[in-house]
Amino acid sequence: MIADRAVKRARVLDLLDRRGAASIVLRSHTAVSWYLDGARTHVSLAGDPVAAVVARRGGDELRVFANEADRLLGEELVSTDRLDVVQVPWHETLAAPGVAELDEADAAAELRAARASMLPGELDRYRRLCREVAEVLTDVASAADPAVTERRLAARLAGELAARGIDPLVTLVAGRSRLVHRHPLATEAPIGDRAMLVVCGRRHGLIANATRWLRFGPAAHGEQDAMRRILDVEADVFAATRPGATLGEVFDAGVAAYPRHGFDADEWRHHHQGGAAGYAGRDPRAVPGIADVVHEGQAFAWNPTAAGAKVEDTVLAGSGRIDVLTVDPRWPTVSIAGVERPLELDLG
């Protein structure tokens, strides 16, 4: 939305004013896609951006590789208003050092704050993305059977995401034999009687994150109890995710929640705990002492994790409540502290 772009530009100009600088170059997928309202800035998912933006008080300069310019200008940009387009030969540096007074890396925390509170257009896109990611997880999980391999399930996840125009940035699957792994890249192992599915999907620059569990038959001893307690850990994290708190304070609340709910006090050390979300998988990831502040209308993806137990959804914080975005009403849930949270899908 053009109205969103105007607000984003005002936020960046405010950053320049505070720094006493005349210009800044945005050069990451995260920053450029945010500023250009969700434009796809990649060719390879593992490659560098094909465009950069130099923001100045008098207007913005869009620097784009010449061989990508027609597609980017014709298909990706909502508007080129106040954009001075500079086509750069593919074999030259897109945005050389010194192209602006400030580099994106010089103001990383301030830029994270600038994109924290989601605007109407991007929030509408994000809600649709998150809903569709949740639907894909439901569709793929519901069609699983104990003999299917982890790779086959990961392929189905990736295919269903791609069919909806969603880049499958992460598709993790762990069956019964590999649940010990916190980041289980899929293998040829069959899933057996229990599995965890994890997805990070990107569309319009925004990334939705979610984890789901499925099982066949009765839960093994202690598994349901561990899953219930990990939801209690998450509830404590949600309660701490309030505007004005620092991510370091929210992180500390999560660390304290593990022993409170029967887990080892060092459980948090075995896996990252999540953080802010949006135009990066975590923007930023929460770590001890981090000073970034929770903003009204900011997205988060927390992922409390223990052996054989994990919960993860993309949520919106603010107005005294947590709004879960990765929701499919077909998935079974339980109310925890007034928020509907996912249960394991029992496929019998």
Side-chain angles (χ1 to χ4, degrees), residues 65-215:
F65 284 125
N67 59 317
E68 304 293 342
D70 287 349
R71 177 188 61 81
L72 192 77
L73 296 173
E75 298 180 351
E76 299 297 330
L77 298 185
V78 175
S79 169
T80 57
D81 183 48
R82 302 193 71 179
L83 277 178
D84 180 18
V85 179
V86 176
Q87 297 193 27
V88 180
W90 65 265
H91 53 88
E92 295 184 5
T93 302
L94 182 61
V99 72
E101 191 171 340
L102 286 179
D103 192 270
E104 178 182 330
D106 300 326
E110 292 160 289
L111 285 169
R112 290 197 299 267
R115 58 181 175 258
S117 294
M118 304 203 79
L119 296 165
E122 61 190 346
L123 182 54
D124 183 59
R125 292 191 293 270
Y126 207 22
R127 287 187 183 279
R128 292 199 303 269
L129 166 66
C130 288
R131 182 180 66 248
E132 291 183 36
V133 163
E135 290 170 354
V136 166
L137 281 162
T138 301
D139 290 343
V140 172
S142 299
D145 64 77
V148 71
T149 66
E150 295 171 345
R151 281 195 181 133
R152 181 62 63 185
L153 275 188
R156 291 174 186 171
L157 288 170
E160 290 298 320
L161 292 170
R164 295 171 180 249
I166 301 170
D167 299 325
L169 300 184
V170 175
T171 52
L172 305 178
V173 179
R176 167 63 72 183
S177 66
R178 300 182 63 249
L179 291 177
V180 65
H181 300 300
R182 305 298 174 101
H183 281 149
L185 298 174
T187 71
E188 282 300 309
I191 64 169
D193 67 346
R194 189 174 188 234
M196 177 181 72
L197 283 60
V198 182
V199 162
C200 300
R202 181 178 67 188
R203 189 172 64 195
H204 302 305
L206 293 158
I207 301 173
N209 312 274
T211 295
R212 296 290 185 267
W213 290 79
L214 62 91
R215 64 181 172 87

